[in-house]
Amino acid sequence: VDVIIVGRGGGSIEDLWAFNEEKVAYAIWNCSTPVISAVGHETDTTIADYVADLRAPTPSAGAELAVADMAKVQQMLQEKRLRMLGLMNRQIDQSRRAAERCQLRLRLKGPEGMLQQSRFRLAQSSERLQALMEQKMEESRGKADRVRQAQDHAMGQKLDGAIHRLEVLSGRVRALSPQSRLDQGYAYVEGTDGRGLGSVRGVHEGDGLKIVMRDGRVYALAQKVEMDEDGR
């Protein structure tokens, strides 16, 4: 048995009550063969409809569901056949075009094709190089003339400016030179470690001191250290 149809025609609720029985429901549920429930009319609903594998609104509809429509099956098979043929033809066309592309690439990558491409690229490169060299040479001549004129003009201005800045910087250097300070009567004091002392905080009584003056050095000992009241 391929399929079982459980059903009856229309009737009252009492006529269809057998399909609500527990035994019938369990029998349909435990059946290993597919079961179609086709009880009453389309508006009738029983427990058998819920436990069956498929519900049909009427017994005749159940028969239609159990038997395939051969015309539709044949139409479906024809459509699938046509679709398969279309896919096969499309695949064959794609494979043919791929083979043609591979053949073309193989021809281009062969010794003769590669040599021809190399000659063509070499000729193009030579023409571009020649044109580029001529353009660069013309640009270089014009740029060299402009640079030469600008350099001559700028060199004179820079030379004048450099002389002026040198004079100003020389005056500043002379003014900031320690020797200039020493010439004015100032002295420079170093500690025993050779570092300059700018405050009495680092000096203790008995420390050795070196006093650098304009024309020599004086070595002395700190007898007493006093700090201003404001600490400066």
Side-chain angles (χ1 to χ4, degrees):
V1 178
D2 296 326
V3 65
I4 298 173
I5 299 177
V6 178
R8 63 158 285 167
S12 64
I13 187 65
E14 292 80 6
D15 296 334
L16 303 178
W17 192 256
F19 299 96
N20 290 325
E21 294 291 341
E22 182 180 359
K23 291 182 179 180
V24 176
Y26 272 110
I28 295 174
W29 178 262
N30 294 322
C31 184
S32 59
T33 303
V35 177
I36 299 176
S37 176
V39 179
H41 297 297
E42 186 173 357
T43 57
D44 297 321
T45 303
T46 63
I47 294 177
D49 294 333
Y50 294 105
V51 296
D53 298 289
L54 185 64
R55 177 185 180 273
T58 61
S60 58
E64 292 177 0
L65 293 174
V67 180
D69 187 347
M70 293 306 297
K72 292 184 178 180
V73 171
Q74 290 178 355
Q75 181 181 359
M76 180 188 66
L77 291 176
Q78 181 65 16
E79 292 176 354
K80 290 184 178 294
R81 177 177 175 276
L82 294 177
R83 187 181 303 113
M84 184 178 298
L85 289 176
L87 292 174
M88 289 177 60
N89 291 332
R90 189 180 303 116
Q91 185 66 34
I92 291 173
D93 292 339
Q94 292 178 354
S95 299
R96 184 181 295 110
R97 288 194 295 270
E100 292 174 355
R101 290 194 298 270
C102 292
Q103 184 178 5
L104 179 61
R105 286 198 297 268
L106 183 61
R107 190 183 306 114
L108 292 176
K109 291 185 178 297
E112 185 178 354
M114 294 181 66
L115 182 60
Q116 185 177 358
Q117 292 181 4
S118 299
R119 290 173 180 170
F120 180 72
R121 288 196 297 267
L122 181 60
Q124 286 185 329
S125 300
S126 178
E127 293 177 358
R128 288 197 299 267
L129 182 60
Q130 183 67 24
L132 184 61
M133 289 178 60
E134 293 178 357
Q135 180 182 357
K136 292 293 184 181
M137 289 179 63
E138 188 65 26
E139 292 178 355
S140 299
R141 293 192 190 97
K143 187 181 296 184
D145 293 338
R146 292 191 298 270
V147 169
R148 189 180 303 108
Q149 295 175 1
Q151 285 181 345
D152 293 341
H153 179 70
M155 187 64 68
Q157 291 183 342
K158 288 185 177 181
L159 184 59
D160 294 339
I163 294 173
H164 177 69
R165 288 194 299 272
L166 181 61
E167 293 176 353
V168 173
L169 292 175
S170 298
R172 292 180 180 178
V173 169
R174 287 193 298 270
L176 297 176
S177 173
Q179 186 63 39
S180 176
R181 294 289 184 177
L182 295 177
D183 292 340
Q184 295 175 7
Y186 291 93
Y188 176 71
V189 182
E190 294 181 354
T192 55
D193 54 0
R195 291 186 297 181
L197 298 175
S199 173
V200 299
R201 295 180 184 274
V203 182
H204 302 86
E205 294 183 3
D207 288 349
L209 302 174
K210 182 172 72 172
I211 304 172
V212 181
M213 303 179 71
R214 178 177 61 82
D215 54 354
R217 290 161 295 282
V218 177
Y219 295 90
L221 295 175
Q223 296 182 356
K224 187 178 181 179
V225 179
E226 293 182 353
M227 182 180 294
D228 294 342
E229 293 180 358
D230 56 1
R232 296 182 297 175

